[in-house]
Amino acid sequence: MLEYSKLFLLFVTCLFILLALFKLRRKNIPRNVCGFLLSSLFLTLFLVIIIEIKPHHFLRNTISISNLITYFFYFAFVGLYFIKNVQIIIQNKYLLLITTFMLFGLANAVDLLSDGKLIRFMNNEIIEDIFHNLGTVFWLLFFVDYLKRIRIKYL
């Protein structure tokens, strides 16, 4: 159940963003709002790939690339998203986004520590799934709030 709930929440977030883009397509909205929504859609799809397909496990097992390196790439991708959209993020409930990525970071820490055999968790996959689920809930909450604000402003 935990496995599929995070995927469901991420797809619901994608649907909200797509619906907003569809409704706002003929409105006179600032370019940065549309860019933020598009980059958020791509980041959400990126999160689906990371969380569900787990390319870091594939790269570690087949090509012997350390999870630390792939997580650094993930961090760089998310960092670019924040840098590109900082003006919009700080005008909204950014604490939801900070909480989101803190929870994703905790899930990554559990994965790194348990894969490296540094710390043994009894149910590390369940702990990782709980952090991912909580992160996706806050990700969805941020966009519900943001889309409510732009609906009031532009529709």
Side-chain angles (χ1 to χ4, degrees), residues 26-89:
R26 294 206 174 116
K27 305 292 181 191
N28 191 17
I29 61 167
R31 208 170 154 87
N32 64 341
V33 171
C34 188
F36 176 68
L37 288 171
L38 281 173
S39 62
S40 298
L41 178 65
F42 288 127
L43 183 59
T44 305
L45 293 172
F46 182 71
L47 290 172
V48 168
I49 291 169
I50 291 171
I51 292 172
E52 287 305 312
I53 298 174
K54 299 180 181 182
H56 51 280
H57 287 246
F58 172 76
L59 292 171
R60 184 191 67 218
N61 294 333
T62 58
I63 311 174
S64 298
I65 295 177
S66 168
N67 277 356
L68 197 57
I69 293 170
T70 50
Y71 278 133
F72 178 76
F73 170 73
Y74 298 164
F75 177 76
F77 190 77
V78 172
L80 287 173
Y81 169 81
F82 277 108
I83 290 169
K84 182 182 179 302
N85 299 301
V86 69
Q87 293 301 322
I88 290 179
I89 290 170

